[in-house]
Amino acid sequence: MLADPRVRVIAAEPRAFLDSNREKFDIIHLRSLEGFAPGSGGIGGLREDYLATVEGFRKCLRSLSPRGSACVVRGIQDPARDNIKIAATWIQALEDNGVHDPGPYILMARDELSMATLASRSPVGTSVVKKFRRICRDSSWETEWFPGIRAEQTNRLHVLPGPAGSSVSWYHHALRKLMSKDRETFYQNWIADVRPATDDSPFFHDFFRWESVGTLSRVFGPLWPARSEMGFLVLIMAAILTALAASILLPAPVILLRRESRPPHGMMIALTVMYFGGLGTGFMLLEMSFIQVFTRFLGDPIFAAALVIGGFLLFAGAGSMAQPHVTRRIPLGIGTVTLGIAFIVLLYSVTLSAVFESAAGLPHVIKMAIGTFLLAPLAFLLGMPFPWGLSLVHRNAVAAVPLAWAVNGFASVVSTSLAVLVTMTYGFTVLSIIAAAIYAAAGMTALLMVRSGNCQQNQNN
């Protein structure tokens, strides 16, 4: 088939291809979302997927011809979750494209193992519905949804459980709720998190809900982890263990401080902990966030990590070397630098998506150059607060220098897991706001450190 001259093979990450595509297709088959959902207690929920987001599905719909359809086939699971989330994502994508009633645009059918969900660019006509039903009947597939479906037309061949007192399956019940005013209530009450993923939080495979742990444990007993995506819970456990391991760094500098004959006063120590802890947390939150965001732009997490980590280290190093010359020449010194960092972070949080959208069709090398250009000013400023603070502590409270290093290292290690937790729960935008707030607070702390340092010097004199 690949030898057919009408076939053109394009090797690209699916979402990156859709972002740059200008062609129209009669069929889009989302093969990367296929496969059986094992429901094991793995960490698949930690994997971001920019194709399986509302924005990704909208790209699919916009790449269809007027009578075209997109299809996803995914395994049946218990409790029902993946295929409900797929349907919910198509419904949201259709609504975002201006469709007020998504029901006529969707077809769903299944056998005992897998579910096929189709979404069309235009309403499905009567002739297509008849053909769809005939094919399902000839193939012994169960129809779960088509325009005008009635309860007695579903869940007859491969019977699955559903609401008490009803003949329909949970899938048909879910679609009814998703297309009604009860959608939000359905999301809140369902045993798994089936809200559509978005580019701001692209974790389609995360279905974990704290509220469901008790129900799953009661229904499935000790086997309940096999029925729940455990990525989020594993991440929390990893964050706790990481914090415990990283805390090994802290006792030694505290002991050194206590042995000093004239230790720094308590205010200076507290400000040092706040300042360097904030820098470690803020820097890692931004680094982790940019790796995720640039993954969609470049279409490859390895290239994204190389660009962000390499760019941050290179330009932050340049900023560290330039720090003494810059902070002496600008009003408020390091306070202005940290406010500049906060401003750029907030600016990028609302503009990067549009920039990436407009540059999606450019060659990969040019994308890398654009990414480097965007990272340079932010990373340059990020390199200044740490050496400035270290110089200040060395002048005014030299005994607290080991504590500054230890606190910064502790915060850097712990915040890597924290960044993913925040992104999965609230999204990249909230993560960026938190990082901006941390740097703004670090600027205020820096001003207090200067005043406290002057007091310390006066006491020593």
Side-chain angles (χ1 to χ4, degrees):
M1 188 177 84
L2 295 180
D4 192 312
R6 296 171 298 177
V7 175
R8 180 162 54 101
V9 178
I10 300 175
E13 194 273 335
R15 177 61 189 275
F17 171 76
L18 286 173
D19 284 343
S20 60
N21 174 63
R22 297 296 180 267
E23 298 181 67
K24 299 296 181 182
F25 304 95
D26 293 331
I27 298 175
I28 294 180
H29 183 192
L30 282 68
R31 179 66 180 84
S32 62
L33 284 175
E34 289 193 358
F36 296 104
S40 65
I43 56 174
L46 302 180
R47 177 170 62 90
E48 71 276 5
D49 189 339
Y50 284 98
L51 177 62
T53 64
V54 173
E55 293 85 351
F57 279 22
R58 287 177 63 192
K59 292 285 186 179
C60 289
L61 292 171
R62 292 178 179 179
S63 296
L64 290 172
S65 62
R67 299 181 63 84
S69 296
C71 177
V72 181
V73 180
R74 192 161 177 83
I76 297 289
Q77 65 288 143
D78 182 29
R81 53 183 196 178
D82 298 57
N83 289 293
I84 294 178
K85 197 167 190 174
I86 288 171
T89 307
W90 282 124
I91 291 170
Q92 188 64 59
L94 286 164
E95 290 178 346
D96 288 352
N97 280 350
V99 175
H100 298 292
D101 180 14
Y105 294 75
I106 293 177
L107 299 171
M108 287 184 72
R110 62 173 174 83
D111 60 6
E112 69 278 10
L113 295 176
S114 57
M115 174 84 74
T117 305
L118 294 86
S120 298
R121 178 71 179 268
S122 304
V124 178
T126 304
S127 60
V128 175
V129 172
K130 290 181 178 179
K131 188 175 183 180
F132 171 74
R133 295 183 63 187
R134 184 177 68 252
I135 292 174
C136 289
R137 183 177 63 251
D138 294 344
S139 304
S140 296
W141 273 55
E142 190 77 64
T143 55
E144 283 289 355
W145 187 267
F146 57 81
I149 190 171
R150 300 189 304 272
E152 62 269 18
Q153 294 174 310
T154 184
N155 211 29
R156 297 180 299 178
L157 300 174
H158 309 291
V159 179
L160 290 180
S166 174
S167 62
V168 303
S169 71
W170 284 117
Y171 292 105
H172 183 85
H173 168 79
L175 258 73
R176 291 286 185 190
K177 293 294 184 181
L178 290 172
M179 297 183 192
S180 72
K181 297 180 180 179
D182 297 331
R183 182 187 305 176
E184 188 61 32
T185 302
F186 173 79
Y187 285 147
Q188 294 174 0
N189 295 337
W190 196 246
I191 196 168
D193 182 6
V194 293
R195 292 179 185 272
T198 65
D199 283 354
D200 196 47
S201 185
F203 299 94
F204 170 85
H205 305 278
D206 176 36
F207 301 94
F208 183 79
R209 291 191 63 195
W210 284 108
E211 300 89 343
S212 301
V213 172
T215 302
L216 291 171
S217 178
R218 185 170 59 255
V219 174
F220 298 105
L223 298 179
W224 75 267
R227 303 288 180 171
S228 175
E229 168 54 52
M230 297 292 290
F232 190 83
L233 188 58
V234 169
L235 184 61
I236 293 177
M237 295 172 62
I240 294 173
L241 293 176
T242 301
L244 293 175
S247 62
I248 296 174
L249 295 168
L250 298 178
V254 173
I255 293 173
L256 292 175
L257 268 178
R258 292 179 63 86
R259 288 184 174 181
E260 285 289 323
S261 57
R262 299 179 63 184
H265 58 76
M267 178 59 71
M268 188 63 183
I269 294 174
L271 292 173
T272 298
V273 171
M274 292 171 57
Y275 182 78
F276 286 94
L279 294 186
T281 301
F283 190 93
M284 291 308 299
L285 291 186
L286 290 177
E287 189 171 75
M288 297 296 292
S289 174
F290 273 77
I291 290 174
Q292 298 284 359
V293 171
F294 272 74
T295 295
R296 178 170 73 88
F297 180 51
L298 300 176
D300 190 308
I302 297 177
F303 281 114
L307 177 66
V308 173
I309 296 175
F312 268 37
L313 292 178
L314 175 64
F315 294 110
S320 296
M321 292 188 292
Q323 176 268 313
H325 308 286
V326 173
T327 53
R328 283 200 300 262
R329 288 173 168 80
I330 58 177
L332 298 179
I334 203 66
T336 302
V337 171
T338 54
L339 288 177
I341 292 172
F343 174 77
I344 294 176
V345 170
L346 294 177
L347 179 66
Y348 280 3
S349 68
V350 297
T351 59
L352 275 186
S353 180
V355 173
F356 291 167
E357 184 82 13
S358 61
L362 297 177
H364 193 76
V365 174
I366 297 180
K367 286 185 177 181
M368 295 286 286
I370 292 174
T372 303
F373 175 79
L374 291 171
L375 288 175
L378 176 61
F380 183 79
L381 295 180
L382 286 173
M384 296 184 183
F386 186 85
W388 178 92
L390 207 59
S391 298
L392 180 70
V393 173
H394 188 271
R395 288 195 308 269
N396 300 325
V398 67
V401 170
L403 180 63
W405 279 100
V407 170
N408 184 264
F410 174 85
S412 299
V413 171
V414 174
S415 57
T416 54
S417 298
L418 180 63
V420 183
L421 285 171
V422 173
T423 304
M424 292 179 69
T425 306
Y426 302 107
F428 291 122
T429 301
V430 172
L431 184 67
S432 298
I433 292 173
I434 292 174
I438 288 174
Y439 271 99
M444 297 177 62
T445 305
L447 299 178
L448 295 176
M449 288 176 67
V450 172
R451 181 178 300 178
S452 180
N454 292 336
C455 294
Q456 182 79 33
Q457 287 183 340
N458 293 334
Q459 289 180 2
N460 294 338
N461 295 332

